[in-house]
């Protein structure tokens, strides 16, 4: 490697020529001492000659160096009186000319010193003595050099030795003496000719030989020289092939420094010759291997002027050659490579090397870095390499989280990186002290934890209806994982990080390290912002994580002191600012908002202990332009402060500050009314401030609205839930009643501007209008609860509001366009919420807001141009207005019968189910549309034709509601799902039509089984009768399902408090994990499944269920009634379940108790449902072979069903029909073998007749059974009498048909068929033998067998019987 260190100057400033003079003087003294103190080789002293006990270093030093004056006084000046004095040469400069390193290197490049020489000595030896006034000895040196050259020429000729190492004379036909003489003569002639040639001529001839001779021959000659002989060891001869190449350097070295070469000993000279010989031979072999001269093989020609580059290292220079072109081909299955920007690179594309993407890896010709190489580089000892690796990894993670590699890679990248230890690499890098490395580690951790799209969407929907709520972002836990908090303490950091990244980082003291970086290291602005956003993501993990952020020592204090100060310096341009400490940071205020969202207690601590409200008032009391901050930063700070204030006000906290700043709020509303426009203000910072201000006023209005109720409870000692004697808030209704006129002025102005706008609809700031409408809806919801309410005045105000605001908006083209865009921005209608390949990791979940545009956009409904916020505000205000003033129904009917609304509902309820947190805003809109229709339908006949559509939409919404909306489930069941007005079919003669349809179908059916079924229907209640009875029992059915959903009661209470905005009952705005819909898709069958689970639990604990209470029978009956009604009148709502899933859940009725299915109502309903599910259209889709959702193993369930039939069936035909369903031929042999091998007692009590079959008998007979084991089991139970025609006629028919068909089929294996026939012939049961041998075909009219017999044995059968008999 090249030495980069140059000569250093004297730190005390000594002049350069003085240093040169002292060096010359010191060198003369050292040369003199060296000559005088030279020890001969034979008298050298060894360590053994020194006796340690006889030598005292301290005493020796005291003897020779008693005082410093002794050294100074013994210095004697050398006598120079007899020497000629020469003046230094005069120059035109103040100092002697400095010799450049290149000149010094060129002058001494051929010297070969015996020991390393410093740069100063090399430069000094190359300088002319005349510079110092000394005589020039160049003439003498030239003479010596000429003599040396002549000596070198003779040495070269004599270096060939006295004999040849190549010519041996083996081909001469002489005696040994003559041969040796001839060989010696040839050798002398060669040497003589070489001695007359110049060095250049020798080199030319050598090159010709290298080009003309066979490389193998050259290698053979070189190997001859490599074999050592005694003679060459003593003489040190040099090969003629290497002498010519090696003499040049030797000659040049002698010319440059003859004295140094002449001073070498004979041993050193021999060693030098041997090393040169070996080097030359290595060069020769390298050239022979490639066929190319070595100078052409080396990718870069070295110069002799380069310092410490005289040795050519061919292995290292191999990497400097041009890389081969990448091999084109399929990249599938290859390792992904990334560039320095984290982008995926094309493997077969040739990238230039100056990009720095090629390295010494497994594939040097392919540009880019693999993840394995980046992980290895991140553990380097050099901080620069670690910084580079972490930067690239951070960019790769950011792109992966945004979904850029979804199509290009075979699987999600983020889980693999987490599995490889990405968390630990970043965490360990945070513990470094290098500022650049720490900043890069913070960036990598930010890319790993934070998905920017989620935060942008969360900020965007904050002012929406219930947009201030947010789900926890922790891994989903199954029911079996609940309560395992204690077990997680025993897990290692690696195990915990694989399950939950945030929890693993918290255990690894991430918060303390971030506090140290933030408060002590004080990084630049971007790193500080990243740290704050990381803390936001940690706080969103769970309530426990938020408490850890709050309780981390000195963390919150550092944030308040450094990033949320009450006073700061003058205004600094944000583009030039890299230091953010000591100035308010909007992201820091957002961190406070997220912490307040986690819980009321955290918000109270921040307000009381850390003076949060003082800072909020400091940032909102003034206009943002007066805050001495950058304008955009000041508005962002004001917006975040208002949002944080609104979050606290939702709990009823911080209302004293609102009362104090009430004049400021009113002044701001007046300013917004005068200056802000609803058109063209999407990017206006004042618009964001206005929306945040309306959120604050809405939250304080809810708090003031419950003040009277809380005061009444406090004075009367009342109790409400778990909140006993809560104090009334510091504000009441009088503090907020004056806000309505100001808000109404704003909404009138902005609605007028939006309605009259004729340009692009995107130019209208719908968020501004929607925030005002949301405020008015909240105001009306609390106005009716006030004791001082003026009812007449309220009705007049609503009529005025309707005529001035709602009607102009509803009837405008702008609102029509908003309704039209609902389907366009619906993730469900566009099927964007359908889960694709998951890009996040289960250990690090997110909400899926990725920047990459694709069809998988579950956040489409919260897009910046989405109409959902505006339309939801209109419907919410309409619902509140109709609930107060019923006379406004006719004016608002267009909201529920509009063609765009009807089209949206039809498309939405028929779309497949999807699950995403952002869909809850779509659900909120649908809920208010349905609630408005429920209020209008009793009084508006024009709404009746749309009743089934709205009922189907409500049923679909019920099963799609997400965690956090449990209140809507209870409300929909109470007011919509079981509302008799929504079952118009019962009043339109549908039950009678159902009976008529059954009779027509049965009369047109020629199959005898249907005729028998008709008789059965005549003796049992008809389907129409069952439907009419179910319609009359709707209140009881509603009570049954509400009782079943009692498991949601606690969550429903929390959801109700948030939905109705009751501040004193809200403890947290965090929602549960959004893992999917609240109700399962089979929620209609939920009572049956729960009862079956309860019965199994009791039986497993030793409490068999022998008799069931009456309420259980009622629950089952009501559940079956609702299922029948939905199957007949709302078929679309249950299409998400397969017929197999539905029948499986009906089987639970037989497994619950011993006599439940024998109840008359239960039996009739089960029979009607069974006939419905076995219709030809549904029967064709019935499949028990595929996995059934909600059932772990249908095989085990069927096994339990067979056991229950043996124990409690009493030969019931309905139970037997359910048992027969999985035994159809298309379902394989597993269920049949289970019946024959373990539950053959079923055949003893299976009197089901052919006329009672609900499935065509052909399904059990075709195709022909070919499983030999099953056929043998069939014949075995027939021969042993387990199956008899009197006990199980259907099974007897099935077995006779399959055995006969197999024995007498021409394609059956002869050995197996003959074996079965032999067993039949050996049977003593003549009847059975006759039935098998004479079976003809199925004929259900042939009682009691159900099949016809041949009158006599067919010839082919007779021949087969005779053949078996002769065997």
């Amino acid at each position: 490697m090249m030495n980069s260190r140059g000569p250093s100057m004297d730190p005390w400033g000594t002049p350069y020529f003085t240093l040169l003079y002292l060096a010359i003087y010191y060198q003369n003294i050292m040369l003199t001492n060296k000559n005088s103190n030279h020890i001969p080789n034979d008298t050298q002293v060894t360590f053994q000659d020194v006796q340690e006990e006889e030598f005292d270093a301290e005493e020796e030093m005291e003897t020779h160096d008693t005082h410093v004056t002794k050294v100074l006084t013994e210095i004697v000046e050398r006598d120079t009186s007899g020497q000629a004095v020469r003046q230094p040469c005069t120059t035109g400069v103040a100092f002697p000319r400095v010799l450049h390193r290149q000149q010094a290197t060129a002058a001494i490049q051929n010297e070969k010193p015996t020991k390393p020489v410093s740069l100063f000595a090399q430069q000094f030896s190359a300088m002319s003595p005349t510079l110092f006034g000394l005589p020039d000895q160049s003439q003498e040196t030239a003479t010596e050099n000429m003599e040396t050259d002549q000596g070198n020429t003779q040495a070269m000729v004599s270096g060939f030795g006295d004999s040849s190492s190549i010519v041996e004379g083996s081909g001469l036909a002489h005696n040994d003496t003559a041969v040796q003489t001839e060989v010696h003569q040839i050798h002398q002639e060669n040497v003589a000719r070489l001695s007359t040639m110049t060095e250049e001529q020798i080199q030319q001839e050598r090159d010709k030989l290298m080009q003309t001779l066979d490389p193998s021959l050259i290698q053979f000659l070189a190997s001859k020289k490599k074999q050592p002989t005694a003679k060459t060891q003593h003489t040190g001869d040099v090969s003629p092939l290497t002498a010519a190449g090696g003499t040049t350097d030797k000659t040049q070295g002698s010319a440059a420094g003859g004295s140094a070469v002449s001073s070498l000993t004979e041993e050193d000279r021999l060693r030098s010759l041997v090393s040169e010989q070996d080097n030359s031979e290595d060069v020769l072999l390298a050239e022979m291997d490639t066929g190319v001269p070595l100078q052409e093989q080396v990718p870069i020609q070295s110069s002799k002027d380069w310092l410490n580059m005289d040795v050519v290292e061919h292995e290292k220079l191999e990497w400097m050659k041009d890389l081969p072109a990448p091999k084109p081909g399929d990249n599938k299955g290859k390792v992904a490579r990334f560039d320095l920007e984290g982008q995926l690179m094309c493997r077969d594309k040739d990238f230039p090397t100056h990009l720095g993407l090629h390295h010494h890896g497994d594939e040097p010709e392919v540009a880019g870095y693999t993840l394995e190489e980046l992980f290895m580089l991140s553990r380097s000892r050099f901080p620069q390499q670690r910084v580079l690796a972490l930067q690239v990894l951070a960019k790769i993670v950011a792109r992966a989280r945004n979904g850029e590699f979804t199509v290009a890679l075979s699987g999600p990248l983020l889980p693999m990186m987490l599995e490889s230890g990405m968390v630990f690499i970043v965490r360990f890098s945070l513990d470094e002290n290098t500022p650049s490395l720490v900043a890069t580690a913070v960036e990598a951790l930010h890319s790993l934890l934070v998905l920017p799209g989620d935060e942008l969407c969360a900020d965007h929907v904050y002012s929406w209806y219930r947009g201030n709520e947010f789900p926890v972002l922790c891994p989903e836990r199954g029911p079996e994982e609940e309560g395992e908090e204690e077990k997680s303490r025993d897990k290692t950091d690696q195990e915990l990080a694989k399950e939950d990244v945030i929890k693993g980082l918290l255990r690894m003291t991430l918060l303390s390290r971030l506090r140290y970086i933030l408060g002590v290291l004080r990084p630049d602005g971007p790193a500080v912002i990243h740290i704050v956003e990381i803390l936001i993501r940690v706080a969103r993990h769970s309530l426990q994580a938020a408490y850890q952020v709050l309780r981390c020592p000195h963390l919150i204090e550092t944030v308040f002191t450094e990033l949320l100060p009450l006073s700061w310096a003058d205004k600094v341009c944000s583009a030039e600012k890299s230091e953010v400490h000591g100035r308010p940071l909007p992201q820091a205020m957002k961190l406070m908002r997220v912490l307040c969202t986690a819980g009321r207690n955290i918000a109270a601590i921040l307000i009381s202990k850390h003076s949060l409200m003082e800072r909020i008032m400091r940032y909102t009391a003034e206009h943002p332009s007066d805050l001495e901050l950058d304008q955009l930063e000041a508005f962002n700070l004001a917006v975040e402060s208002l949002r944080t204030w609104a979050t606290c006000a939702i709990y009823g906290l911080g209302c004293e500050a609102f009362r104090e700043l009430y004049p400021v709020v009113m002044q701001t509303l007046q300013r917004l009314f005068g200056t802000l426009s609803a058109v063209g203000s999407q990017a206006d910072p004042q618009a964001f401030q206005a929306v945040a201000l309306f959120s604050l006023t809405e939250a304080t209005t809810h708090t003031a609205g419950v003040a009277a109720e809380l005061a009444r409870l406090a004075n009367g000692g009342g109790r409400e839930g778990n909140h006993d004697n809560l104090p009334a808030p510091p504000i009441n209704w009088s503090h907020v009643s004056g806000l309505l006129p100001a808000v109404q002025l704003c909404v009138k102005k902005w609605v007028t501007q939006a309605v009259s706008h004729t340009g692009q609809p995107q130019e209208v700031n719908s968020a501004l209008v929607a925030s005002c409408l949301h405020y008015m809806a909240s105001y009306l919801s609390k106005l009716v609860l006030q004791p001082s309410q003026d009812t007449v005045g309220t009705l007049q105000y609503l009529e005025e509001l309707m005529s001035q605001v709602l009607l102009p908006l509803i009837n405008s083209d702008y609102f029509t366009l908003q309704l039209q865009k609902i389907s366009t921005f619906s993730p469900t209608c566009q099927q964007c919420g359908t889960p694709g390949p998951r890009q996040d990791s289960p250990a690090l979940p997110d909400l899926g807001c990725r920047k990459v545009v694709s069809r998988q956009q579950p956040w489409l409904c919260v897009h910046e141009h989405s109409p959902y916020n505006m339309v939801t505000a209109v419907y919410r205000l309409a619902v509140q207005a109709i609930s107060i003033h019923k006379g406004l129904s006719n004016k608002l009917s267009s909201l529920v019968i509009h063609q765009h609304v009807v089209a949206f509902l039809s498309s939405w309820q028929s779309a497949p189910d999807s699950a995403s947190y952002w869909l809850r805003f779509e659900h909120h809109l649908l809920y208010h549309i349905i609630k408005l229709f429920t209020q209008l339908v009793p009084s508006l006949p024009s709404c009746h034709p749309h009743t089934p559509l709205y009922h189907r939409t409500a049923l679909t919404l019920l099963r799609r509601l997400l965690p956090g909306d449990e209140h809507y489930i209870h409300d929909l069941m109470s007011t919509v799902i079981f509302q008799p007005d929504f079952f118009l079919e019962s009043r339109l003669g549908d039950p009678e039509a159902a009976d008529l349809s059954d009779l027509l179908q049965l009369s047109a059916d020629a199959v005898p089984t249907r005729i028998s079924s008709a008789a059965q229907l005549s003796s049992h209640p008809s389907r129409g009768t069952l439907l009419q009875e179910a319609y009359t029992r709707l209140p009881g059915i509603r009570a049954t399902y509400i009782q079943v959903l009692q498991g949601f009661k606690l969550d429903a209470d929390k959801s109700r408090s948030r939905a109705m905005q009751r501040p004193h009952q809200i403890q947290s705005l965090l929602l549960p994990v959004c893992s999917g819909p609240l109700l399962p898709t089979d929620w209609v069958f939920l009572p049956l499944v729960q009862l079956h689970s309860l019965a199994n639990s009791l039986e497993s604990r030793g409490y068999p269920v022998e008799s069931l209470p009456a309420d259980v029978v009622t629950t089952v009956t009501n559940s079956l009634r609702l299922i029948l009604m939905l199957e007949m009148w709302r078929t679309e709502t249950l299409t998400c379940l397969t017929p197999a899933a539905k029948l499986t859940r009906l089987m639970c009725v037989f497994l619950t108790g011993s006599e439940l299915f024998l109840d008359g109502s239960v039996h009739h309903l089960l029979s009607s449902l069974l006939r419905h599910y076995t219709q030809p259209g549904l029967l064709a889709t019935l499949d028990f072979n595929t996995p059934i959702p909600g059932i772990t193993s249908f095989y085990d369930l069927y096994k339990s069903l067979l056991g229950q039939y043996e124990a409690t069936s009493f030969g019931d035909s309905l139970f037997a029909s359910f048992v027969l369903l999985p035994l159809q031929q298309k379902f394989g042999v597993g269920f049949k073998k289970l019946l024959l091998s373990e539950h053959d007692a079923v055949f003893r009590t299976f009197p089901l007749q052919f006329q009672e079959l609900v499935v065509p008998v052909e399904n059990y007979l075709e195709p022909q059974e070919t499983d030999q084991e099953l056929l043998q089991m069939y014949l075995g139970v027939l021969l042993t009498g387990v199956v008899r025609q009197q006990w199980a006629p259907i099974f007897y028919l099935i077995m006779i048909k399959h055995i006969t068909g197999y024995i007498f089929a021409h394609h059956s294996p002869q050995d197996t068929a003959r074996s079965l026939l032999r067993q039949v012939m050996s049977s003593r049961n003549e009847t059975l033998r006759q039935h098998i041998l004479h079976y003809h075909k199925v004929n259900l009219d042939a009682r009691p067998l159900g099949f016809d017999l041949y009158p006599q044995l067919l010839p082919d059968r007779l021949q087969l019987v005779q053949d078996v008999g002769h065997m």
Side-chain angles (χ1 to χ4, degrees), residues 591-610:
L591 173 61
M592 300 301 114
R593 170 167 63 90
V594 173
L595 290 175
C596 292
T597 302
R600 171 196 293 270
N601 188 28
I602 296 179
I605 293 175
L606 291 175
I607 292 175
S608 61
K609 184 178 179 180
H610 301 283

Side-chain angles (χ1 to χ4, degrees), residues 472 539-548 595 598-599 602 1067-1068 1070:
V472 294
R540 291 195 187 278
H541 175 270
S542 60
L543 178 61
Q544 294 77 11
Y547 268 110
Q548 291 194 40
L595 290 175
I602 296 179
Q1067 296 299 317
S1068 175
L1070 285 181

Side-chain angles (χ1 to χ4, degrees), residues 707-933:
E709 178 183 358
L710 291 179
R712 177 179 56 83
L713 293 176
N715 295 332
R719 303 169 67 91
E720 183 176 350
N722 296 328
H723 307 279
D724 301 340
N725 300 329
L726 287 176
I731 59 174
N732 52 40
W733 190 251
S734 62
H735 293 105
V736 297
S737 58
L739 295 173
L740 183 62
V743 176
Q744 189 169 355
L745 288 176
C746 294
V747 74
K748 287 180 181 179
K749 172 187 174 181
W750 292 334
V751 166
T752 304
Q753 292 175 346
V755 170
S756 60
H757 180 64
T758 58
Q760 295 293 331
Q762 292 82 0
E763 297 177 358
V764 178
N765 192 342
S766 59
L768 199 60
V769 181
S771 60
C772 294
L773 297 179
H774 280 306
Y775 171 79
M776 299 179 72
S778 298
Y779 186 90
L780 291 176
S781 65
K782 290 297 184 291
L783 177 62
V784 296
L785 302 177
Q786 304 307 313
S788 60
Q789 176 203 4
D790 182 6
T791 305
V792 177
T794 301
L795 297 179
Q796 293 177 352
Y797 168 75
L798 286 176
E799 293 178 354
E800 179 184 356
L801 176 66
M802 185 66 60
S803 61
Q804 297 180 0
V805 178
L806 271 182
L807 286 181
L809 180 61
I810 293 172
N811 298 326
S812 65
D813 296 336
Y814 166 74
F815 188 73
T816 302
L817 183 60
Q818 297 295 311
L819 293 179
Q820 185 179 0
K821 293 195 306 182
I822 293 178
S823 299
T824 305
F825 284 88
S826 171
T828 306
C829 296
Q830 301 299 327
Q831 298 185 11
C832 299
T834 304
R838 184 169 180 173
Q839 297 302 311
D840 63 344
S841 172
L844 191 63
D846 55 49
L847 298 181
C849 294
R850 315 191 188 284
K851 294 182 180 179
V852 177
V853 178
S854 64
R855 295 184 70 254
Q856 304 294 336
Q857 292 182 345
W859 46 270
L860 187 62
C861 59
V862 297
H863 192 270
E864 58 180 349
H865 300 305
S866 171
Y868 277 84
N869 184 27
M870 178 69 186
V871 177
T872 303
V874 172
Y875 278 91
R876 183 177 171 225
L877 181 58
V879 169
Q880 293 296 334
I882 293 297
S883 62
I884 300 174
H885 196 333
K886 304 295 183 182
L888 302 177
S889 300
N890 292 327
K891 299 180 181 180
L892 297 176
S893 61
S894 61
L895 289 176
V896 295
I897 63 176
H898 197 281
Q899 58 177 351
H900 295 314
V901 177
V902 173
F904 166 64
L905 295 180
S906 301
S907 175
W908 184 85
Q909 60 94 17
S910 60
D913 294 347
S914 56
S916 173
Y917 163 75
W918 307 111
L919 293 176
R920 73 189 305 258
F921 298 101
E922 184 179 57
H923 299 164
H924 293 167
L925 172 60
L926 288 163
Y927 171 78
H928 286 96
I929 292 176
I930 295 172
K931 289 294 293 184
L932 181 61
F933 183 85

Side-chain angles (χ1 to χ4, degrees), residues 1134-1211:
L1134 296 179
T1135 54
C1136 56
L1137 291 176
T1138 63
K1142 298 175 182 178
L1143 288 170
T1144 301
R1145 283 148 179 81
L1146 291 182
M1147 291 178 183
C1148 295
V1149 178
F1150 298 97
L1151 298 175
T1152 303
S1154 59
E1155 301 178 355
L1156 179 60
F1157 68 94
L1158 296 177
D1159 181 81
S1161 299
V1162 175
H1163 197 278
H1164 297 156
L1165 290 169
L1166 284 174
S1167 177
S1168 180
L1169 288 172
L1170 178 62
R1171 296 183 183 279
H1172 174 72
Y1173 292 140
T1174 53
Q1175 293 177 356
L1178 296 177
L1179 190 61
T1181 61
L1182 182 62
D1183 188 6
F1184 290 111
N1185 292 328
T1186 58
I1188 300 175
I1191 303 297
T1192 305
S1193 173
F1194 178 75
Y1195 183 87
D1196 296 337
L1197 180 68
Y1198 186 65
K1199 184 177 181 179
S1200 301
L1201 186 68
L1202 292 176
Q1204 189 76 359
Y1205 183 87
E1206 291 177 334
T1208 62
S1209 66
F1210 304 106

Side-chain angles (χ1 to χ4, degrees), residues 365-658:
E365 71 277 3
V366 183
Y369 293 84
T370 64
L371 291 179
E372 182 181 0
E373 293 167 351
L374 290 173
F375 283 160
M376 184 180 301
L377 195 63
S378 65
R379 296 189 294 269
S380 173
R381 293 185 294 108
F382 300 98
Q384 295 83 353
Q385 293 181 347
R386 298 183 65 182
V387 168
L388 176 64
L390 288 176
Q391 287 177 345
V392 178
L393 287 174
K395 296 174 182 178
I396 292 174
V397 170
R399 294 180 183 276
R401 300 207 68 181
N402 285 324
E404 295 187 17
F405 306 136
T406 304
V407 180
L409 299 181
S410 58
L413 188 63
L414 185 61
M416 183 181 63
M417 297 183 70
L418 292 177
E419 186 71 21
S420 301
M422 178 73 178
V423 176
F424 295 93
I425 291 176
V426 176
R427 179 62 188 90
F428 295 157
S429 300
L430 287 176
D431 292 335
E432 300 292 337
N433 293 325
T434 307
S436 59
L437 182 56
V438 172
T440 308
V442 170
E443 179 187 0
L445 184 61
H446 177 270
S447 300
L448 183 64
L449 299 183
V450 180
L451 184 61
D454 285 353
E455 294 298 328
L456 290 176
C457 289
D459 294 341
H460 176 63
V461 302
Y462 181 84
S463 61
W464 291 26
Y465 174 66
R466 299 183 66 181
N468 46 31
E469 304 169 9
F470 201 82
V472 294
L473 296 179
C474 61
E476 179 184 359
R477 285 188 176 185
E480 66 279 358
E481 297 178 359
E482 297 294 338
E484 292 190 358
E485 192 68 25
E486 296 294 334
K487 297 182 180 179
S488 63
R489 298 179 182 178
D490 300 332
K491 297 179 181 178
T492 63
D493 293 347
Q494 184 177 5
E495 294 174 345
L496 188 60
K498 286 183 178 181
E499 297 178 0
D500 192 334
V501 173
I502 299 296
K503 188 177 291 186
L505 287 172
L506 290 176
R507 178 188 281 187
M508 291 185 280
T509 64
L510 173 67
L511 297 179
S512 300
R513 184 58 186 174
L514 292 180
R515 196 276 311 164
Y516 178 82
I517 296 173
L518 197 62
V520 179
L521 298 183
R522 301 174 66 89
D524 293 339
V528 173
I529 295 176
H530 285 165
I531 291 175
V532 175
E533 292 179 349
I534 290 171
L535 294 176
I536 292 174
R537 175 60 181 87
V538 173
R540 291 195 187 278
H541 175 270
S542 60
L543 178 61
Q544 294 77 11
Y547 268 110
Q548 291 194 40
V549 174
L550 178 67
R551 295 169 180 172
C552 180
H554 309 294
L555 177 59
I556 297 300
E557 291 82 354
T558 302
V559 173
F560 273 103
T561 304
E562 299 291 344
L563 305 180
L564 292 174
L566 291 173
S567 60
W568 55 90
D570 295 337
K571 179 178 179 180
V572 179
C573 181
S574 61
E576 301 176 356
K577 181 182 63 177
S578 61
E579 175 65 35
V580 297
H581 289 79
R583 305 178 62 81
L585 190 66
Q587 289 82 358
M589 184 57 72
K590 181 181 177 180
L591 173 61
M592 300 301 114
R593 170 167 63 90
V594 173
L595 290 175
C596 292
T597 302
R600 171 196 293 270
N601 188 28
I602 296 179
I605 293 175
L606 291 175
I607 292 175
S608 61
K609 184 178 179 180
H610 301 283
S611 304
L612 176 61
M613 291 309 304
E614 294 183 11
R615 287 164 169 80
I616 292 177
M617 296 173 65
R618 171 68 177 87
Y619 304 147
T620 57
E622 299 181 75
H623 191 272
S625 59
D626 300 332
L627 290 178
E628 296 298 333
L629 295 171
D630 178 72
Q631 183 175 2
L632 181 60
E633 183 181 2
F635 273 99
N636 291 336
L637 180 63
V639 169
E640 285 299 336
S641 300
L642 290 172
R643 290 175 178 174
T644 306
W645 193 355
T647 303
C648 296
I650 291 175
Y651 303 120
L653 304 175
C655 296
E656 303 91 340
F658 183 83

Side-chain angles (χ1 to χ4, degrees), residues 940-953:
L940 295 179
S942 59
C943 298
H944 291 173
H946 303 286
T947 300
L949 173 63
Y950 275 87
H951 195 218
R952 290 195 301 269
T953 304

Side-chain angles (χ1 to χ4, degrees), residues 264-311:
L264 295 176
T265 62
E266 183 66 19
E267 182 180 358
D268 296 336
R269 188 181 68 82
L270 290 176
R271 290 175 181 173
S272 176
L273 290 175
V274 171
S275 62
E276 292 177 4
Q277 173 185 347
D278 294 340
N279 188 28
S280 300
E281 291 174 356
D282 293 339
V283 171
L284 176 63
L285 292 177
E287 293 179 354
M288 288 187 297
D289 291 338
T290 59
V292 182
L294 188 63
Q295 280 74 10
E296 299 180 11
Q297 293 184 36
V298 177
I300 182 172
Q301 296 297 329
S302 60
S303 174
K304 298 185 181 302
D305 295 338
W306 295 353
L307 185 64
N308 294 336
M309 293 292 288
D310 51 344
V311 179

